[in-house]
């Protein structure tokens, strides 16, 4: 079932969202000092491309620098990516059959706003070990 949802997601939302994350990642890598943001953006691009069967959890080793980095991220890239999620979810909700995809799209907003200190893991993975 995850594969079917991922293919439908890829066609209707995933490709556009992943492109947005890749563009943000490229810009961050060009600016050198923001390379950690670029790496996080590329990681989330893969998640935005194929999200079903995976989830986002807090990284236990994340510290104060992740918090500071997330504040900077929200200002320069996070808000725009979150708006992209909202805009992409609207046609999914309107289509009735895309409502589960719209809900999944809105669930990705927290990681688009605060990507540092997060880890993407399979949904069947054991957490905290």
């Amino acid at each position: 079932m995850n594969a079917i949802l991922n293919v439908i997601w890829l066609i209707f939302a995933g490709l556009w969202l992943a492109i947005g994350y890749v563009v943000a990642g490229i810009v961050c890598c060009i600016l050198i000092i923001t390379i950690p943001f670029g790496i996080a953006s590329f990681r989330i691009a893969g998640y935005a491309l194929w999200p079903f069967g995976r989830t986002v959890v807090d990284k236990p080793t994340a510290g104060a620098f992740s918090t500071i980095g997330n504040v900077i991220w929200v200002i320069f890239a996070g808000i725009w990516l979150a708006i992209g999620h909202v805009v992409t979810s609207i046609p999914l909700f309107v289509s009735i059959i895309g409502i589960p995809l719209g809900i999944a799209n809105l669930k990705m907003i927290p990681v688009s706003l605060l990507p540092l200190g997060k880890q993407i893991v399979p949904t069947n993975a054991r957490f905290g070990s």
Side-chain angles (χ1 to χ4, degrees):
M1 187 63 159
N2 284 339
I4 293 169
L5 286 172
N6 277 322
V7 169
I8 295 169
W9 171 268
L10 179 69
I11 294 168
F12 292 109
L15 185 61
W16 309 114
L17 293 170
I19 288 171
Y21 282 105
V22 167
V23 168
I26 290 171
V27 170
C28 288
C29 286
I30 288 172
L31 299 174
I32 310 249
I33 197 165
T34 56
I35 288 176
F37 300 126
I39 293 168
S41 188
F42 292 138
R43 188 180 66 235
I44 299 169
Y47 180 58
L49 199 60
W50 206 256
F52 294 99
R54 298 191 289 173
T55 190
V56 178
V57 296
D58 290 329
K59 194 181 293 186
T61 58
F65 289 115
S66 293
T67 305
I68 295 167
N70 279 329
V71 170
I72 295 168
W73 174 263
V74 166
I75 294 169
F76 292 105
I79 193 72
W80 301 109
L81 293 168
I83 290 170
H85 281 287
V86 171
V87 169
T88 306
S89 69
I90 292 170
L92 292 171
F93 281 118
V94 170
S95 71
I96 307 296
I97 198 165
I99 290 174
L101 299 175
I103 292 169
N105 207 345
L106 295 179
K107 286 183 179 180
M108 292 180 73
I109 290 175
V111 75
S112 73
L113 288 172
L114 307 169
L116 300 176
K118 304 289 184 198
Q119 189 173 9
I120 299 167
V121 297
T123 53
N124 59 0
R126 297 181 134 256
F127 304 116
S129 53

